[in-house]
Amino acid sequence: MNALHAANPALTIDGALFELLTHLGDNSLILGQRLSAWCGHGPALEEDIALANVALDLIGQTQLWLELAGDVEGQGRSADALAYHRDAFDFRNAHLVEQPNGDFGQTLMRQFLFDAWHLPLLLALTKSPDNRIADIAEKISKEVRYHLERSSDLVIRLGDGSEESHRRMQRALDALMPHAYELLQITDGDALLISEGVIGDITSVTAQWEEQVNSVLALATLSRPNSPAAPGGGRRGRHTEHLGYLLADLQFLQRAYPDATW
Amino acid sequence: MNATSDNEKKAVSDEQATEAKESSNEWPLWEIFIRGQHGLSHRHMGSLHAPDAQMAINNARDVYTRRNEGVSIWAVPSSQIAASSPSDKGPLYEPSNSKVYRHPTFFDIPDDVGHM
Amino acid sequence: MYAQMVKTDSTGVKSIDDMSEQEAAFQARIDRDEKIEPKEWMPDNYRKTLIRQISQHAHSEIVGQLPEGNWISRAPTLERKAILLAKVQDEAGHGLYLYCAAETLGISRDEMFDQLHSGKAKYSSIFNYPTLTWADIGAVGWLVDGAAIMNQVPLQRTSYGPYARAMVRICKEESFHQRQGFHIMMKMAKGTAAQKRMAQDALNRFWGPSLMMFGPSDKNSVHSAQSMAWKIKMNTNDELRQKFVDQTVPQAEYLGLTVPDDTLAWNEEKQGYDFADPDWDEFHAVLAGNGPCNKERLGARVTAWEDGKWFREGLLAHSKKRAAIASDAA
């Protein structure tokens, strides 16, 4: 990625794989946590139910990725141990997913920008020589295909809806687009995993994301902002202030009662 | 305030409620029919609200199937369902009840005719 | 229950002599266990009472999402989080089924929401109590869902077809809810000293409010008789309350928890427990809007509805545009 990282002699296949798997698991965990806050507060009963399904999928995906991450690490950490007993600087999720829910338009726009990356990434990972990764990617890409259909459809409808819904979706896009670019970065670790034949080639994900985003935004009559990418840093453990509060909430019981089982 | 004016007030507010209902922005109601993987015909599952047919189908996937694959969904506007009215109950059902010949066992076929 | 004090639009049970021919025929159908279906003739009071009862039940489901939803973000494991989210999502679904059943009686969902938001319609008093620890999530599943099931299972045989069908679906989906609650309680009650303390505290706080869920005592329940004749109420409040206590006390003993009632004792003669009345003054205060969380619960529903207005209208505007394009093309 950058000179500092490239100079890191500690970059091993297992290390890079652990980082990638926590990236995938943490993205799902943090976004699932955000979405689940809407349960009981959605704008329509039907939407409340539909969004909870997406959140449930994401929490299920978290369990799969983090469990594999724990196996790769080989120190006996379960998915729960990784979810509940790491602090912010060990989380590898992108900044996009830790952004606050905002209004429902922001929640949907965040979802769309994420799904548009998530699906092509998973489809590329289904071609991973490492079967453990390919199998999980295969299973969850079916769920994510539906997420992307749904979020694309809603972004189009609300963008090209009423004046107010258009205004809100444009505002959401302007606020969130800078955070989306971080997802598209290929780290040195990713490059190593591709060249060593561990994971499928994920370098075409950016082009697919661009195509999906541009075509949906056009149909939604929304204009893509020219703003530069936000600093990012999630994959190096550098997060926004939001993540600390989210984790304090998520991890409260495990932290307050470390000797309990639940 | 006496009882009469209370009643009058109620009548007015009921009227207003009806007007508000007609001009309301409520999503229309849809009846949802689903055919599962086993080839049985579509079955009425329930209803839901959605702004149009496509969203009714999308919502039905989440509300009534928890997104099982391989199912077919029909969404019909509730207002478009034509139903026999209960007062027709006699005329509609009685003639067919009297047409007992529609039931195969009505016909006594001699055994030597073979399977029929 | 989820519909605790449904006012019946009548002053007692109509006798057969007071009924018109149509009413008598209607009552005869109910007595023969025939289902009444949406477009069929029904007494006006039957319709009104049902709308009130079903919508109160529906409101209870969606307001009931809130106290449990309060702990989704803090669920202690990923699995507990997924289970709790699925359960609270089910409650939204159950609200939806019930609103649809009420809509067949000629009221719109928006009208019912208006009645809820304006405070005109009631929902179960139980959801105006706070969930303060994780053990409360166990207690809600074990006690509150346990009490709800007592009422909902017989309602599968209620006389109004759409209501009965909604209850069949709800009972089927709800079978895991009480079990997940009891499972949480087992873990807590057999866990560390701190967990056990939380479990006992949850039982202490939810016992009385759970007993209140069945509504006032039969001797003070003025609305029951006509509803029972119509088979939209299947058991009396006291019958169900007794059944609930008889079922729950041994479960509490199994957990090693103490039911917060000094007078609780097995009565050999009636083959059931004697137990103290809950605090009925508190019950009426909560119903009147003055419980620990009434304002928060109703406030959260109103906020969700108002904040969602642009979303609902935006989607509708888009659908209208599409329909206009389609009709231009035709």
Side-chain angles (χ1 to χ4, degrees):
Chain A
M1 181 77 256
N2 54 39
L4 267 177
H5 204 135
N8 183 357
L11 192 62
T12 63
I13 291 179
D14 275 356
L17 186 54
F18 177 77
E19 192 277 335
L20 175 64
L21 292 168
T22 50
H23 174 55
L24 295 168
D26 292 346
N27 280 334
S28 293
L29 174 59
I30 304 304
L31 188 55
Q33 176 81 354
R34 283 287 191 225
L35 292 185
S36 65
W38 278 105
C39 189
H41 304 271
L45 218 33
E46 287 80 5
E47 182 60 29
D48 206 300
I49 294 166
L51 197 69
N53 273 339
V54 178
L56 281 168
D57 288 342
L58 290 168
I59 294 164
Q61 295 170 13
T62 305
Q63 289 171 297
L64 295 173
W65 288 130
L66 291 186
E67 193 187 310
L68 181 54
D71 287 350
V72 167
E73 186 191 40
Q75 291 180 18
R77 288 204 279 183
S78 65
D80 277 341
L82 288 169
Y84 287 89
H85 292 284
R86 281 177 300 155
D87 203 347
F89 50 60
D90 285 330
F91 270 75
R92 290 294 178 267
N93 60 282
H95 288 193
L96 180 70
V97 296
E98 65 195 49
Q99 296 304 303
N101 282 340
D103 69 7
F104 205 72
Q106 271 167 273
T107 292
L108 288 175
M109 185 58 78
R110 182 184 63 197
Q111 191 66 36
F112 166 66
L113 294 172
F114 179 79
D115 294 340
W117 164 82
H118 203 190
L119 182 64
L121 180 89
L122 290 169
L123 292 176
L125 290 179
T126 60
K127 303 200 178 66
S128 299
D130 186 329
N131 284 335
R132 297 171 303 178
I133 299 167
D135 289 349
I136 295 175
E138 182 70 38
K139 179 186 182 305
I140 70 182
S141 60
K142 291 185 186 124
E143 298 167 351
V144 172
R145 187 182 297 283
Y146 182 69
H147 300 177
L148 179 59
E149 273 176 34
R150 213 186 87 83
S151 60
S152 299
D153 185 52
L154 287 171
V155 166
I156 292 169
R157 286 169 180 273
L158 292 166
D160 185 20
S162 66
E163 238 171 76
E164 184 179 4
S165 72
H166 177 85
R167 184 175 56 74
R168 283 177 184 262
M169 295 313 279
Q170 185 65 53
R171 188 178 66 187
L173 179 64
D174 293 346
L176 292 168
M177 190 57 120
H179 294 293
Y181 297 113
E182 181 189 2
L183 285 167
L184 306 173
Q185 291 169 6
I186 306 287
T187 63
D188 290 348
D190 296 339
L192 179 70
L193 294 171
I194 298 168
S195 67
E196 294 293 323
V198 179
I199 63 169
D201 187 353
I202 58 174
T203 51
S204 65
V205 170
T206 298
Q208 295 175 67
W209 181 87
E210 287 283 342
E211 196 188 326
Q212 177 74 15
V213 167
N214 288 336
S215 68
V216 166
L217 293 184
L219 288 168
T221 70
L222 296 171
S223 35
R224 184 169 166 176
N226 286 322
S227 44
R235 294 190 73 174
R236 289 179 283 119
R238 305 279 169 83
H239 290 279
T240 66
E241 290 179 348
H242 302 301
L243 186 63
Y245 293 100
L246 187 151
L247 293 179
D249 196 29
L250 183 129
Q251 299 177 335
F252 160 66
L253 284 171
Q254 291 277 359
R255 299 288 197 175
Y257 303 97
D259 53 344
T261 55
W262 306 93
Chain B
M1 196 177 284
N2 61 38
T4 317
S5 67
D6 258 356
N7 285 341
E8 276 164 9
K9 196 176 154 200
K10 188 179 177 301
V12 171
S13 71
D14 279 353
E15 242 168 64
Q16 283 166 340
T18 312
E19 273 170 37
K21 188 180 163 187
E22 276 159 10
S23 65
S24 89
N25 276 335
E26 184 162 10
W27 292 347
L29 192 63
W30 301 78
E31 300 303 318
I32 303 301
F33 300 82
I34 294 180
R35 171 164 54 66
Q37 285 139 322
H38 305 295
L40 297 174
S41 28
H42 282 77
R43 194 175 139 235
H44 184 234
M45 299 300 286
S47 340
L48 50 74
H49 289 268
D52 62 29
Q54 190 53 52
M55 282 214 70
I57 289 171
N58 292 349
N59 287 344
R61 273 205 279 188
D62 280 303
V63 173
Y64 287 109
T65 77
R66 299 285 193 264
R67 285 198 253 129
N68 282 337
E69 286 177 59
V71 301
S72 157
I73 301 174
W74 289 347
V76 183
S78 305
S79 60
Q80 296 297 308
I81 299 264
S84 59
S85 85
S87 56
D88 294 341
K89 211 170 186 174
L92 254 179
Y93 298 117
E94 266 154 25
S96 61
N97 282 345
S98 64
K99 291 187 182 79
V100 285
Y101 48 81
R102 296 187 77 104
H103 295 271
T105 49
F106 174 76
F107 302 99
D108 196 6
I109 308 282
D111 286 348
D112 52 0
V113 176
H115 179 74
M116 187 174 283
Chain C
M1 200 35 49
Y2 279 15
Q4 268 164 330
M5 272 186 74
V6 180
K7 192 170 153 288
T8 307
D9 270 311
S10 78
T11 49
V13 190
K14 230 179 191 181
S15 79
I16 201 90
D17 298 332
D18 295 335
M19 288 182 192
S20 68
E21 205 177 312
Q22 210 168 16
E23 282 174 315
F26 177 84
Q27 187 61 50
R29 289 187 61 200
I30 288 181
D31 293 343
R32 286 196 301 270
D33 280 334
E34 281 182 29
K35 292 282 181 258
I36 309 302
E37 295 297 339
K39 288 187 174 173
E40 295 172 345
W41 184 87
M42 60 188 79
D44 207 34
N45 290 342
Y46 176 85
R47 180 190 302 275
K48 282 186 183 159
T49 305
L50 260 183
I51 288 177
R52 214 174 273 141
Q53 177 172 333
I54 300 173
S55 63
Q56 193 170 315
H57 194 160
H59 298 327
S60 297
E61 295 282 355
I62 63 165
V63 177
Q65 288 184 272
L66 300 171
E68 288 177 282
N70 183 34
W71 278 87
I72 294 172
S73 70
R74 288 174 288 175
T77 68
L78 294 172
E79 188 180 58
R80 291 279 181 212
K81 189 187 289 291
I83 292 170
L84 182 60
L85 177 55
K87 175 177 189 287
V88 179
Q89 180 200 36
D90 276 350
E91 282 152 15
H94 298 167
L96 189 148
Y97 305 155
L98 288 161
Y99 284 122
C100 288
E103 282 175 274
T104 64
L105 291 159
I107 184 171
S108 74
R109 194 165 87 187
D110 279 7
E111 284 175 273
M112 290 185 268
F113 282 151
D114 283 347
Q115 291 172 355
L116 173 66
H117 298 155
S118 68
K120 189 182 158 207
K122 301 282 179 234
Y123 55 87
S124 179
S125 57
I126 191 75
F127 301 118
N128 291 312
Y129 291 87
T131 50
L132 301 176
T133 72
W134 176 250
D136 288 13
I137 299 306
V140 168
W142 171 38
L143 300 173
V144 176
D145 291 319
I149 289 165
M150 295 261 151
N151 187 47
Q152 291 174 346
V153 167
L155 277 176
Q156 293 177 95
R157 293 179 286 109
T158 187
S159 62
Y160 187 57
Y163 192 22
R165 289 190 285 274
M167 291 319 305
V168 168
R169 181 178 280 275
I170 288 170
C171 286
K172 199 167 130 197
E173 292 184 358
E174 226 166 50
S175 53
F176 88 89
H177 290 186
Q178 191 190 11
R179 284 164 163 264
Q180 71 89 32
F182 193 71
H183 195 256
I184 291 174
M185 288 309 269
M186 275 167 50
K187 283 279 186 185
M188 301 295 281
K190 314 272 179 200
T192 63
Q195 283 175 301
K196 184 155 188 180
R197 188 175 153 218
M198 281 188 248
Q200 182 62 54
D201 178 56
L203 177 57
N204 292 349
R205 282 181 290 109
F206 277 95
W207 177 256
S210 298
L211 296 183
M212 294 175 199
M213 285 180 68
F214 299 94
S217 168
D218 293 346
K219 57 184 184 289
N220 299 322
S221 181
V222 289
H223 309 305
S224 290
Q226 180 62 69
S227 287
M228 290 187 75
W230 279 333
K231 293 189 186 165
I232 58 181
K233 184 179 173 78
M234 310 301 282
N235 306 85
T236 73
N237 296 350
D238 286 338
E239 271 169 27
L240 289 173
R241 191 167 13 246
Q242 182 69 50
K243 201 173 162 204
F244 173 77
V245 171
D246 292 345
Q247 175 187 290
T248 308
V249 169
Q251 292 168 349
E253 282 167 3
Y254 172 86
L255 292 172
L257 300 178
T258 309
V259 173
D261 178 355
D262 294 340
T263 69
L264 188 77
W266 178 254
N267 181 328
E268 190 61 34
E269 197 182 327
K270 76 171 180 186
Q271 286 294 300
Y273 287 92
D274 290 330
F275 57 94
D277 267 347
D279 182 343
W280 291 119
D281 291 339
E282 177 182 312
F283 171 71
H284 289 291
V286 174
L287 269 197
N290 204 19
C293 297
N294 293 59
K295 288 184 181 64
E296 287 87 342
R297 299 294 185 242
L298 200 53
R301 287 308 316 163
V302 170
T303 301
W305 185 245
E306 287 175 354
D307 288 355
K309 187 168 183 273
W310 72 268
F311 172 86
R312 297 187 301 274
E313 290 179 354
L315 290 183
L316 201 60
H318 181 83
S319 297
K320 283 178 179 165
K321 282 186 196 176
R322 275 196 194 180
I325 291 167
S327 75
D328 280 353

